[in-house]
Amino acid sequence: MKSPKPYFTNNVFELEESATERKALLDKIQSFSEDFIDTLDTQKAFHYDTHAATERDFFLKINRDKESLDDILAFFKERVVDTGLNPASGGHLGYIPGGGIYSSALGDYLAAVTNRYAGVFYASPGAVKMEDALIHWTGKLMGFSDGFGGNLTSGGSIANLIALHTAKHHKNITTSKASKSVVYCTSQSHHSIYKALKIIGLENCIIREIPLDSHFRISVSALGTQIKHDEHIGLNPFLIIANAGSTDVGAIDPMEKLSNISKTHNIWMHVDAAYGGFFMLTALGKERLKGIELADSVILDPHKSLFMPYGLGIVLVKNIDHLASAHAYSANYMRDAEMENQYSPADLSPELSKHFRGLRMWLPLKLYGESVFSGYLNEKLQLTNYLHQELKAIGYEVLCEPDLTVVAFRLELKNYDSDVLNKIILDEIQKDGRIFISSTVLEDKLTLRAAILSFRTHQKEIDLFLHLLKKIKHQLDI
Ligand SMILES: Cc1ncc(COP(=O)(O)O)c(C=O)c1O
């Protein structure tokens, strides 16, 4: 009998590799990854002046023809891995580092291979329950009582956006009310807060930057006075932004006091704990973050203080119904997915389809348990204390006692303009490349900052950093 003529023209099924082909691909990826991790100690934390390499990006272009995985990986290493910042390095002390633990990458691998539809309970009850378990664990860690809800986001900026949108919705800040509505923050608030206000249509609300105390924390008395004044002149105070670990110096605002004010004046209190929140896993962090449980919303970044690879934030809202009503939707084609007594992530955020990001957090927490993470965070606190003391000992000026794991400092030398001098130090450190730090502006002066948060940063890296600073100072101070 004649076989039937193929109806479809595509009889090439290369996207469905055979087991042998899959193994060959995986072996190469694995060997690349092993080599990357094994040589981290000798890799730079920062590749100074590598932008020229990426301008010649023609190898990264997508072509019609196939290329071999060996070639692709070689281009990837040259054009991507060996350029710019290396966040996987223990020498990364810039911005707020993360690190990227391996077990989390394996979680991502499994998430992509199984490709569960994590946004909707009906489609993947297991993936949604996993996300629920992670939200529950994080909320309890913050000290929230039952009734809270949350969402796993791509990072802190989107988590802030969701929280602020929920506050706006709950407080009914309509377009016509925006120009008389007031948000209270400080110059230490992260810029994602301002971005979020812009995105949610509150660009023209009144933003009051409240003065700071000598530790870069919000001045509670100035806040109280400002709110009373604003009420008196007929404005509508509706949102207080607190820092639980500011980006510049890691400052923690006094949250119990802020909560008292927010309750007295019926204002939503939001805590940006993107960096600091998981220090609740340590005794010192618990002490310093007292009052975080009183917030109406909190955000955290597991890709910072849980050392996960980039791509994971968390938003928590004290009353899950506020989060849900701010994101409520319905669509005919979603009717099969509607459930009673079970929110899906899609009910609680702007996303419908989403990365199955629960697995990258759940797998490491299941494998190692929370005490391992506490241990690493405690080590970072101790290293910060060490760096803080040693910087003073070698003649650098430290701006304030660190609340968490950021040390802000400057060198002041006779005959040098402070900004010029500290820019020279920054450039020298970056050119060396073994340690990476970033700068900011505090008290109108260029300020250097070291943030100790990578799981791969240990005493060796801090000693190298101190050695470099000592050497540079010596060269400049002759
Ligand atoms: C305090 C704080 N909030 C929010 C963010 C934004 O987080 P993400 O970069 O994950 O969007 C950051 C990022 O560094 C931060 O330090």
Side-chain angles (χ1 to χ4, degrees):
M1 205 173 93
K2 254 173 69 181
S3 58
K5 210 169 153 215
Y7 188 74
F8 298 103
T9 51
N10 179 14
N11 51 5
V12 185
F13 297 105
E14 288 184 67
L15 293 181
E16 189 64 273
E17 299 89 352
S18 67
T20 315
E21 287 164 335
R22 281 198 300 275
K23 184 170 181 324
L25 290 173
L26 194 56
D27 283 352
K28 287 189 174 157
I29 298 283
Q30 196 184 358
S31 128
F32 182 94
S33 312
E34 286 306 310
D35 189 51
F36 175 75
I37 294 170
D38 281 352
T39 57
L40 266 172
D41 247 12
T42 54
Q43 287 174 35
K44 292 199 160 189
F46 186 64
H47 301 267
Y48 196 75
D49 206 14
T50 50
H51 293 101
T54 52
E55 274 166 24
R56 295 176 284 122
D57 66 352
F58 52 93
F59 286 123
L60 293 171
K61 272 203 321 219
I62 308 303
N63 301 315
R64 273 195 75 80
D65 299 330
K66 296 179 193 180
E67 292 175 54
S68 79
L69 184 56
D70 289 324
D71 286 349
I72 295 168
L73 288 175
F75 301 145
F76 172 59
K77 179 163 164 39
E78 186 191 327
R79 302 299 159 92
V80 180
V81 177
D82 292 345
T83 63
L85 177 62
N86 180 1
S89 160
H92 173 27
L93 311 180
Y95 310 109
I96 303 288
I101 49 178
Y102 183 68
S103 54
S104 193
L106 297 180
D108 266 349
Y109 175 76
L110 278 181
V113 170
T114 58
N115 201 22
R116 297 297 92 180
Y117 197 81
V120 174
F121 181 81
Y122 170 79
S124 186
V128 172
K129 284 291 175 196
M130 181 183 290
E131 175 155 341
D132 284 352
L134 292 165
I135 297 290
H136 185 260
W137 176 75
T138 310
K140 287 289 166 189
L141 186 65
M142 295 306 109
F144 276 13
S145 321
D146 289 344
F148 65 89
N151 188 253
L152 297 187
T153 66
S154 57
S157 301
I158 301 301
N160 271 330
L161 178 69
I162 293 174
L164 267 48
H165 166 65
T166 305
K168 176 197 173 197
H169 185 267
H170 179 66
K171 293 289 183 186
N172 193 26
I173 311 298
T174 53
T175 310
S176 62
K177 289 187 197 162
S179 62
K180 287 197 162 228
S181 297
V182 194
V183 179
Y184 302 88
C185 57
T186 71
S187 59
Q188 288 292 295
S189 301
H190 192 264
H191 74 274
S192 57
I193 295 288
Y194 297 84
K195 245 196 208 179
L197 291 171
K198 190 171 176 178
I199 294 168
I200 63 177
L202 292 184
E203 204 168 5
N204 65 340
C205 71
I206 301 163
I207 300 177
R208 302 270 195 227
E209 281 191 0
I210 303 298
L212 300 167
D213 68 14
S214 59
H215 282 82
F216 299 91
R217 303 177 192 135
I218 192 168
S219 159
V220 177
S221 59
L223 175 68
T225 308
Q226 184 68 57
I227 291 174
K228 280 187 202 139
H229 169 78
D230 289 342
E231 284 175 339
H232 182 70
I233 59 172
L235 298 179
N236 173 32
F238 87 99
L239 178 62
I240 296 173
I241 307 289
N243 276 313
S246 65
T247 314
D248 271 351
V249 299
I252 301 177
D253 288 331
M255 286 176 286
E256 281 177 319
K257 290 182 182 161
L258 292 184
S259 168
N260 287 340
I261 294 188
S262 86
K263 293 213 162 46
T264 307
H265 297 272
N266 192 23
I267 302 176
W268 183 286
M269 175 170 147
H270 173 67
V271 177
D272 182 345
Y275 154 48
F278 285 110
F279 281 89
M280 285 293 276
L281 286 165
T282 67
L284 191 96
K286 262 195 195 115
E287 184 58 38
R288 300 215 162 137
L289 291 159
K290 235 183 224 158
I292 197 165
E293 72 283 359
L294 303 167
D296 294 294
S297 53
V298 175
I299 69 130
L300 304 95
D301 261 349
H303 67 203
K304 293 186 169 66
S305 35
L306 277 189
F307 321 117
M308 316 241 149
Y310 293 122
L312 193 56
I314 295 182
V315 55
L316 297 172
V317 174
K318 170 136 295 154
N319 183 337
I320 192 170
D321 295 334
H322 295 161
L323 183 59
S325 63
H327 294 89
Y329 68 94
S330 75
N332 290 342
Y333 45 80
M334 293 303 292
R335 58 185 302 283
D336 302 341
E338 282 164 15
M339 294 270 153
E340 263 179 41
N341 306 321
Q342 172 65 50
Y343 285 125
S344 285
D347 301 322
L348 305 172
S349 84
E351 288 183 307
L352 176 56
S353 306
K354 66 185 237 161
H355 176 45
F356 178 12
R357 43 181 85 97
L359 205 44
R360 59 187 356 245
M361 178 172 173
W362 184 79
L363 185 65
L365 284 171
K366 289 294 267 187
L367 272 176
Y368 300 111
E370 44 175 79
S371 58
V372 166
F373 291 88
S374 310
Y376 273 84
L377 289 171
N378 272 318
E379 183 203 17
K380 306 309 150 202
L381 289 165
Q382 286 159 9
L383 286 172
T384 308
N385 195 25
Y386 172 66
L387 176 63
H388 178 231
Q389 300 308 331
E390 292 299 310
L391 275 174
K392 288 196 284 190
I394 63 171
Y396 281 77
E397 187 186 294
V398 181
L399 268 73
C400 58
E401 290 278 326
D403 276 346
L404 290 170
T405 62
V406 179
V407 185
F409 64 98
R410 285 192 285 257
L411 185 62
E412 301 285 357
L413 290 179
K414 264 200 293 199
N415 307 326
Y416 275 100
D417 171 84
S418 173
D419 284 4
V420 172
L421 177 65
N422 286 286
K423 178 74 173 84
I424 294 173
I425 298 169
L426 182 71
D427 279 348
E428 288 302 312
I429 297 279
Q430 292 190 350
K431 270 184 218 156
D432 177 273
R434 286 175 291 173
I435 298 291
F436 176 77
I437 56 165
S438 55
S439 66
T440 187
V441 175
L442 291 167
E443 300 162 339
D444 292 328
K445 282 182 171 180
L446 192 143
T447 304
L448 306 175
R449 48 184 298 293
I452 302 176
L453 198 65
S454 167
F455 73 105
R456 291 195 175 106
T457 302
H458 306 293
Q459 187 176 344
K460 182 162 71 74
E461 282 75 21
I462 302 303
D463 282 340
L464 169 63
F465 181 42
L466 286 162
H467 163 77
L468 291 170
L469 287 173
K470 222 192 284 182
K471 197 171 95 185
I472 297 167
K473 176 169 180 272
H474 182 72
Q475 284 162 355
L476 290 166
D477 199 13
I478 39 176

